[in-house]
Amino acid sequence: MENITLKLTGMGCAACASRIEQAIQKVSGVISCNVNFGAEQATVQYHPKQTDVGQIQQAVEKAGYEAFPIKQFDTELEDQEKTIRLKEEKKLRQKVIIGGIISIILVLGALPMMLGVSIPFIPSWLHNPWLQLILTIPVQFWCGGRFYKNAQKALKHGSATMDTLVVLGTSAAFFYSLFVTLFPQVLIAQGLTTEVYYESAAVVITLILLGRLLEHRARRQTSQAMRQLIGLQPKTALIIRNGQEIVLPISSVAVGDLILVRPGEKIPVDGEVIEGSSTVDESMITGESIPVKKQAGDQVIGATINKSGSFQFKAARVGQDTVLAQIVQLVQQAQGSKAPIQKLADQITAWFVPAVITIAIATFVIWLSIIGNITLALICAVEVLIIACPCALGLATPTSVMVGTGIGAKNGILIKDAQSLELAHQLKTIVFDKTGTLTEGKPTVTDFITVKGVSEGNELNLLRLAASIERYSEHPLAEAILRYSKAQQVTPTQATEFEAIAGSGVQGNVEGQWVQIGTGRWMQELGIATEVLAKDQERLQYLGKTVIWIALNGQIEAIMGISDALKPASREAVNALKRMKLEVVMLTGDNYATAKTIAHELGIERVIAEVKPDQKAAQIAALQQQGKRVGMVGDGINDAVALAQADVGIAIGTGTDVAMAASDITLISGDLQGIVTAIQLSRATMSNIRQNLFFAFIYNLVGIPIAAGILYPILGWLLNPIIAGGAMALSSVSVVTNALRLRNFQPVDKS
Ligand SMILES: Nc1ncnc2c1ncn2[C@@H]1O[C@H](COP(=O)(O)OP(=O)(O)OP(=O)(O)O)[C@@H](O)[C@H]1O
Ligand SMILES: [Cu+]
Ligand SMILES: [Mg+2]
């Protein structure tokens, strides 16, 4: 199974998007496909054995559009795409200008007729229908050519889009006027006036094109955050080869290259510092504004800015693999995904156009049969066609999602898809993993208490045996024990029969001795008496320390107290979440007493402790069964399943890759305040989407009846087709503009 993202061109409105979706889905071998109108992208999942990108592209072309695959994070392609967009915009602008000039002349000519008075400075020949006809033709068929082309495409598939509405509306005005121009006697014979509506056709086309132009420009801004991200990548790197400094383009940097970074320069790729030290501003990637100290052995991230010092580092990840490239790729996918709320808009758009055409026909028939005035009936029908435009509806959700995910990335919050962005604001409960999430995850051994008391040789030997086992474990606690034993100058040896029992501990054979290290509960399960050190255990747990038991040949020999400092931001984040009326829960594999102490320090009331890794997900499911939307925050491999189970899984960026892969949102810097920001951002985005949908709906709900002439019998109001066209263009523009307002989102202050 493979995934590909395609850039699409030629879409006029949301109906086009669903048509492309259908076309791609019909290709055999395609598993799923998702077209995003706002981002002009399709994400396709397919079996590479059954089909390929070429076939998918062909399917799109056959449907009347164009598609080309996006190589993620390709700056060249990004430029190419930009030129295509700019060219398209230039063409649009030309048509708007020419259409605009002609429209003004036509309106001037029609003004005396519209107002019913003669205006002295307007020469009467401007009102000549033949002149008006000649002026209108280029607007109708050149400026408006795209509408015909798109409507024709739609017709071929037996469907109708907003272009169909525009074509029907303006053509009706144009051809009616043409008929009047050619055969005025027919109307005169029936006692009707010989008015023409060329100016309506021209103005409406121009206005809709103007709307598209504005929309085009605004949409370019919605992906601005993305382009800024890509633009962060420096173009060159200063590489040391054979003792010589050479400047290379970034694409030629290879893993293992030694790179020199001078003060004030951008770090070109990801790697590890070899020599020198400095502080680095990583805010563009992590959202953390305080510069980070770097010295030999520390990791540096490409695109971050070196401050004062100078250092050399070894490239570890280049090209597509860098953190920045990964972020860009994730955000692009997220921007192209569909929020659940959009389904509503999609469904409406699907039946919208046929419904509008029906209403327009009904309007025409009713007016004609009531007052028998074909002109009036026609105008109303034309207005209905023109004012009812589903594109505002189609733009409402994707534009907000695009802006929202972009803003998230800027704040160090990676949101994987639109669905999580939407769900985050519905969360009722936030479950925190303890170790590495609320705490630093850098535990240190603070106490080492042996049963036999303090006798040097015995103590150190025990430590050596423990370390010999723990060296095979990847658990952070194991690292703590190894660090401690190293500080005591103990050299571990080999162990055999090593086994890790998840959530309980580790065991193995060292020099013929059977060593078991783990929780008190495990010891009890093993039938090992733990009374000897029960008092010490209690005392340590009361201090919030994790207690680990060491047994030799089935006998308790010692315990260790291990403490792990709280992250400075943990308490604030917990408080902020509680202020937002969210329930905060701690979920941990650690002992209950220890967990309780730490929870108390943070102000967390609910603690679920001594949970085995494979039970964490079940705990989340249990909370969900109570009807709550649950967010889970975690960092470890043991959290992965729970992260996936939660409605929104939030991974700490400084944690394991497995956790990040299983999550929906990643906090790049590991700052828990990001959870608060993510929820706030989700709330802001959702209310923005709701505003947009409201704008789009209300406009059609009010506009269509007025256009149909409902107010005419009461107030004598009849919309001018020109106003209908203007209103339609305005609705799309207002939706996109409102979405852009999201860019002003500011995370609420930590205090
Ligand atoms: N390698 C190990 N050495 C010693 N004890 C271990 C080891 N692995 C696990 N344990 C014991 O098992 C307990 C549970 O471990 P687990 O990995 O499930 O959770 P945790 O890391 O303590 O906490 P959290 O669930 O908050 O991340 C630990 O607290 C520890 O007592
Ligand atoms: Cu439209
Ligand atoms: Mg953990």
Side-chain angles (χ1 to χ4, degrees):
M1 200 164 68
E2 239 163 81
N3 279 308
I4 175 118
T5 309
L6 297 167
K7 186 84 208 164
L8 301 167
T9 56
M11 285 199 288
C13 71
C16 301
S18 67
R19 197 130 32 79
I20 295 177
E21 215 167 70
Q22 281 164 17
I24 295 179
Q25 249 144 19
K26 272 194 203 128
V27 178
S28 72
V30 168
I31 301 159
S32 70
C33 164
N34 182 359
V35 172
N36 184 303
F37 175 49
E40 296 183 299
Q41 276 181 16
T43 21
V44 188
Q45 222 175 41
Y46 64 96
H47 289 299
K49 281 201 190 110
Q50 293 171 30
T51 185
D52 56 28
V53 180
Q55 279 182 6
I56 297 169
Q57 265 177 302
Q58 260 174 21
V60 175
E61 267 159 42
K62 249 171 88 190
Y65 307 88
E66 256 168 290
F68 50 100
I70 308 182
K71 278 195 227 83
Q72 307 287 358
F73 199 59
D74 189 334
T75 32
E76 231 168 78
L77 205 110
E78 190 66 24
D79 290 344
Q80 194 187 327
E81 192 194 315
K82 208 164 133 194
T83 17
I84 293 176
R85 270 175 185 265
L86 284 177
K87 227 164 94 190
E88 164 83 10
E89 213 174 289
K90 203 174 140 199
K91 247 188 353 207
L92 258 174
R93 200 178 311 123
Q94 261 175 10
K95 291 188 173 172
V96 169
I97 290 171
I98 291 173
I101 293 170
I102 294 179
S103 295
I104 290 172
I105 299 173
L106 288 171
V107 170
L108 280 179
L111 217 50
M113 178 206 84
M114 274 157 68
L115 300 175
V117 289
S118 72
I119 299 169
F121 66 88
I122 299 174
S124 62
W125 52 262
L126 261 184
H127 188 48
N128 184 310
W130 290 98
L131 176 74
Q132 293 202 344
L133 171 62
I134 291 166
L135 283 173
T136 308
I137 287 173
V139 182
Q140 182 80 34
F141 300 103
W142 180 66
C143 297
R146 62 176 62 219
F147 300 121
Y148 283 95
K149 225 167 72 192
N150 291 340
Q152 197 191 354
K153 270 186 225 163
L155 192 67
K156 260 206 305 217
H157 296 87
S159 65
T161 65
M162 75 147 288
D163 295 295
T164 318
L165 299 183
V166 176
V167 163
L168 284 175
T170 59
S171 301
F174 178 82
F175 287 106
Y176 171 77
S177 304
L178 183 64
F179 181 81
V180 174
T181 311
L182 293 174
F183 313 106
Q185 6 17 297
V186 178
L187 290 142
I188 293 167
Q190 295 195 11
L192 294 170
T193 52
T194 57
E195 278 162 26
V196 288
Y197 291 93
Y198 290 121
E199 81 288 346
S200 300
V203 171
V204 166
I205 285 177
T206 308
L207 278 176
I208 294 176
L209 284 177
L210 178 68
R212 291 242 170 124
L213 179 66
L214 294 178
E215 188 188 308
H216 215 273
R217 284 169 51 162
R219 261 209 253 171
R220 221 176 41 191
Q221 289 172 331
T222 56
S223 55
Q224 194 188 36
M226 260 331 283
R227 239 170 299 115
Q228 276 175 354
L229 265 181
I230 296 173
L232 285 175
Q233 170 99 318
K235 298 257 184 290
T236 56
L238 189 56
I239 294 185
I240 305 171
R241 269 187 196 161
N242 311 324
Q244 292 222 313
E245 292 176 13
I246 41 168
V247 177
L248 277 184
I250 194 93
S251 53
S252 328
V253 177
V255 173
D257 273 341
L258 213 54
I259 300 168
L260 182 66
V261 186
R262 290 170 302 201
E265 281 181 348
K266 267 189 195 166
I267 296 167
V269 294
D270 299 358
E272 191 184 306
V273 178
I274 300 288
E275 203 187 295
S277 69
S278 182
T279 49
V280 174
D281 176 3
E282 296 190 331
S283 59
M284 56 295 291
I285 300 288
T286 64
E288 175 64 65
S289 55
I290 305 161
V292 191
K293 274 219 169 65
K294 299 284 180 188
Q295 55 192 29
D298 287 338
Q299 304 292 321
V300 287
I301 310 172
T304 56
I305 296 171
N306 178 29
K307 291 285 211 194
S308 47
S310 168
F311 61 88
Q312 285 178 24
F313 78 99
K314 201 165 167 188
R317 283 184 301 257
V318 300
Q320 303 263 340
D321 302 325
T322 62
V323 171
L324 180 69
Q326 303 276 327
I327 292 176
V328 167
Q329 195 171 332
L330 269 177
V331 177
Q332 272 175 350
Q333 272 169 15
Q335 290 188 327
S337 67
K338 248 183 212 174
I341 194 171
Q342 200 187 332
K343 289 215 185 86
L344 175 74
D346 281 355
Q347 276 163 6
I348 291 169
T349 323
W351 59 254
F352 194 81
V353 175
V356 167
I357 293 176
T358 316
I359 295 175
I361 293 171
T363 305
F364 181 79
V365 172
I366 291 171
W367 277 113
L368 193 63
S369 56
I370 291 178
I371 51 172
N373 184 334
I374 186 169
T375 319
L376 193 65
L378 195 73
I379 292 174
C380 287
V382 167
E383 272 157 13
V384 169
L385 288 172
I386 288 167
I387 204 163
C389 167
C391 46
L393 216 53
L395 282 171
T397 318
T399 44
S400 301
V401 167
M402 272 186 89
V403 179
T405 42
I407 294 294
K410 245 182 165 171
N411 284 285
I413 301 163
L414 269 190
I415 302 164
K416 258 194 222 153
D417 54 21
Q419 181 171 352
S420 340
L421 183 63
E422 177 171 344
L423 282 180
H425 86 292
Q426 293 173 348
L427 293 177
K428 288 274 173 298
T429 305
I430 305 287
V431 179
F432 283 97
D433 161 59
K434 177 174 73 75
T435 320
T437 303
L438 289 166
T439 66
E440 294 279 8
K442 292 189 196 105
T444 40
V445 176
T446 53
D447 305 76
F448 182 41
I449 305 164
T450 54
V451 175
K452 293 188 181 121
V454 195
S455 101
E456 272 278 306
N458 166 49
E459 235 185 352
L460 288 181
N461 187 47
L462 208 55
L463 191 59
R464 190 175 62 91
L465 295 178
S468 305
I469 297 285
E470 292 290 13
R471 57 189 289 209
Y472 298 96
S473 166
E474 282 169 318
H475 204 278
L477 291 177
E479 274 167 44
I481 295 171
L482 285 179
R483 236 175 291 130
Y484 179 70
S485 59
K486 201 171 168 194
Q488 309 287 323
Q489 264 126 45
V490 165
T491 342
T493 58
Q494 307 286 330
T496 53
E497 296 165 66
F498 170 83
E499 192 186 356
I501 293 103
S504 293
V506 285
Q507 59 185 17
N509 191 330
V510 188
E511 295 169 347
Q513 309 238 54
W514 187 240
V515 188
Q516 288 168 312
I517 312 170
T519 64
R521 205 174 173 203
W522 186 45
M523 295 298 156
Q524 278 154 17
E525 279 165 23
L526 291 168
I528 300 174
T530 55
E531 283 79 31
V532 259
L533 293 171
K535 277 251 144 55
D536 294 287
Q537 175 205 21
E538 253 171 59
R539 182 174 54 84
L540 292 174
Q541 284 176 347
Y542 186 70
L543 294 170
K545 291 176 182 176
T546 300
V547 174
I548 279 184
W549 297 77
I550 304 173
L552 267 192
N553 303 319
Q555 284 272 319
I556 292 296
E557 291 287 337
I559 55 171
M560 274 182 174
I562 299 178
S563 81
D564 189 3
L566 287 178
K567 278 190 193 163
S570 292
R571 192 191 318 237
E572 280 158 23
V574 169
N575 274 335
L577 290 172
K578 277 163 76 178
R579 271 200 305 274
M580 290 164 87
K581 303 261 177 300
L582 290 156
E583 185 192 17
V584 181
V585 179
M586 180 194 279
L587 179 66
T588 178
D590 206 349
N591 174 273
Y592 184 77
T594 309
K596 193 72 193 171
T597 307
I598 292 171
H600 186 73
E601 252 174 80
L602 291 169
I604 297 177
E605 278 112 40
R606 194 155 170 202
V607 177
I608 308 173
E610 295 173 35
V611 181
K612 299 260 169 75
D614 54 347
Q615 287 302 308
K616 279 191 171 179
Q619 292 290 343
I620 300 283
L623 286 169
Q624 285 170 326
Q625 236 136 52
Q626 294 165 22
K628 290 171 184 155
R629 288 231 188 257
V630 180
M632 160 88 197
V633 193
D635 69 308
I637 298 172
N638 64 348
D639 302 318
V641 189
L643 286 170
Q645 168 71 38
D647 294 286
V648 178
I650 302 170
I652 303 291
T654 47
T656 59
D657 293 345
V658 182
M660 278 183 266
S663 68
D664 308 301
I665 295 178
T666 301
L667 307 175
I668 302 173
S669 69
D671 182 355
L672 296 182
Q673 198 64 36
I675 301 167
V676 181
T677 311
I679 294 175
Q680 283 169 352
L681 180 63
S682 167
R683 288 185 181 174
T685 309
M686 287 316 292
S687 70
N688 194 271
I689 290 177
R690 282 196 212 102
Q691 287 158 9
N692 281 351
L693 286 175
F694 175 78
F695 275 148
F697 269 120
I698 198 76
Y699 156 85
N700 279 310
L701 235 53
V702 173
I704 293 178
I706 295 181
I710 220 169
L711 293 178
Y712 186 62
I714 314 164
L715 297 170
W717 278 13
L718 206 55
L719 275 194
N720 191 300
I722 294 175
I723 294 175
M728 113 103 231
L730 209 71
S731 76
S732 301
V733 174
S734 66
V735 161
V736 178
T737 314
N738 188 49
L740 285 178
R741 248 175 10 102
L742 248 189
R743 284 194 302 184
N744 302 327
F745 171 85
Q746 282 292 333
V748 177
D749 223 2
K750 296 185 183 190
S751 59

